[in-house]
Amino acid sequence: MKKIYFLFLIMMFGTGFAQQAKKEIRVKDKFESRQPQDLSVPPPPTIAFPAQYPGGNKTFISNVSKSLDKSILKTSGKDLKTKIILKIGADGKVLNISTYGNNETFNSEVKKAAEKTTANINWDPGKNSKGEKVIDIVNLPFAYSNK
C-alpha cells in the first residue's frame, strides 16, 4: 500500500510541476492589440542632424554650470542630477526649456541658468535627411556636485 501511495504521490508531483507557465503578457502588447494601426499616418520625421548650441552642447552645459546660483544649491544635497530638455525651433530660437530630476530646487535653478544661457543666442537648428530645417527636441543630462 505504501508503494502505491508513494507512486501516486510521485505521479501527482510530476504532473503538477510539468505544467507550462503562462506566457508573460507585456503592457505594451496589451495596448497595441487593442488599438488598430492607422497606416495613413506617417511616422515622425527623423532628425538627421540634431540642433546644436554654438560651440557644441558641451559648451552649453558648461555655460549653464557657470550661471548656476551655487549659494542656493548648498543645502540641496551632494550629487544632483537632472535632464534639460530644450525645444529648438526651425529658426534656431529656443521655444521651451524643461528640467526633470528628483530635486525641485535644483531643477528650478538649472532652468533659470539655462534660460540665461540661451537668452539671446540662436542655436544651429536641427535638419532632416533632406537638409530642411526642422523643430528639434534636445535632451541633455546635467549633473552638479556640491563640494
Side-chain angles (χ1 to χ4, degrees):
M1 183 69 173
K2 288 183 181 179
K3 290 181 181 179
I4 293 174
Y5 179 70
F6 185 69
L7 183 62
F8 178 73
L9 193 60
I10 290 175
M11 290 179 66
M12 292 303 291
F13 276 116
T15 306
F17 288 113
Q19 300 294 323
Q20 292 182 353
K22 288 185 178 180
K23 183 180 176 185
E24 183 180 323
I25 298 173
R26 297 181 300 185
V27 175
K28 177 184 164 192
D29 296 335
K30 189 190 301 186
F31 284 112
E32 284 182 356
S33 65
R34 278 194 230 159
Q35 298 175 352
Q37 297 296 318
D38 185 5
L39 299 176
S40 66
V41 177
T46 56
I47 306 295
F49 304 99
Q52 287 284 322
Y53 185 78
N57 291 345
K58 287 184 181 182
T59 305
F60 171 73
I61 294 294
S62 173
N63 291 346
V64 169
S65 182
K66 291 175 188 173
S67 299
L68 283 176
D69 186 0
K70 293 169 179 65
S71 63
I72 294 174
L73 299 177
K74 288 190 181 197
T75 60
S76 295
K78 188 174 181 180
D79 293 324
L80 303 167
K81 295 180 182 180
T82 191
K83 285 186 179 181
I84 305 172
I85 300 175
L86 303 116
K87 184 176 183 181
I88 311 297
D91 58 351
K93 299 222 184 270
V94 176
L95 303 175
N96 189 15
I97 300 174
S98 301
T99 54
Y100 295 98
N102 294 333
N103 189 320
E104 288 301 319
T105 305
F106 182 60
N107 290 342
S108 65
E109 285 303 313
V110 170
K111 184 174 180 178
K112 287 177 192 175
E115 288 171 348
K116 283 183 202 174
T117 303
T118 60
N120 296 319
I121 295 182
N122 281 350
W123 286 54
D124 298 329
K127 295 179 185 174
N128 62 13
S129 58
K130 297 177 185 174
E132 301 166 338
K133 295 179 180 179
V134 294
I135 294 174
D136 191 13
I137 305 292
V138 178
N139 186 352
L140 299 170
F142 185 80
Y144 176 78
S145 61
N146 281 322
K147 294 181 182 178

